[in-house]
Amino acid sequence: MERSEQVRQLVIEFCVAVNDRDEAAVKDRYSSGPGASLVGTDAHEYFVGGDQVLSALTAQFAEYPDATLEPGDVVAFEAGDAGWFTDRPVLRWGDLELPTRLSGTAVREGGRWVMAQTHLSVARPE
């Protein structure tokens, strides 16, 4: 296993695409396969399948038009065609700033890295 600048950059580009509400760029950076998944902060945010993931993100663009996800210090690794990452981005929504945690996996599809699974959670004190 080794650090992966390509996977790290994928995460940053994905956040930029989400913040810009750029559906084409999001789709380009997320696996469209049936095993793709996204788990969000709400109990109902559990999506499996590339089409479901893209639909969920598109719906959130409309529902939360001013929310942004600012990447922190993305840590990414790869081994062969598998990659994984963790980050502590800040979710900004109006006047609200929430510390979050983002983790996920990436795979090489067609010679390029795409996200295959992500999980975003809101950090809260115990």
Side-chain angles (χ1 to χ4, degrees):
M1 126 181 44
E2 61 188 46
R3 285 204 179 251
S4 177
E5 179 58 27
Q6 290 178 323
V7 173
R8 188 184 82 77
Q9 196 61 40
L10 170 68
V11 175
I12 293 168
E13 290 172 4
F14 177 79
C15 289
V16 168
V18 167
N19 293 344
D20 290 345
R21 309 308 189 258
D22 186 340
E23 291 179 40
V26 168
K27 185 176 182 177
D28 192 48
R29 287 165 179 78
Y30 220 103
S31 175
S32 61
S37 64
L38 179 144
V39 178
T41 60
D42 186 84
H44 302 290
E45 292 177 335
Y46 183 90
F47 307 97
V48 177
D51 291 342
Q52 294 295 318
V53 169
L54 186 58
S55 291
L57 289 168
T58 300
Q60 287 189 347
F61 294 165
E63 190 172 350
Y64 306 103
D66 61 341
T68 60
L69 191 61
E70 182 180 316
D73 184 22
V74 179
V75 178
F77 291 87
E78 67 179 85
D81 289 336
W84 55 98
F85 55 88
T86 59
D87 189 24
R88 290 183 288 188
V90 174
L91 176 62
R92 289 192 170 81
W93 183 22
D95 293 335
L96 190 62
E97 284 191 12
L98 296 171
T100 66
R101 297 167 293 188
L102 175 67
S103 62
T105 56
V107 294
R108 240 189 284 252
E109 287 182 356
R112 61 187 185 83
W113 288 104
V114 294
M115 292 182 166
Q117 180 273 330
T118 56
H119 182 201
L120 181 71
S121 62
V122 176
R124 65 181 190 110
E126 291 188 33

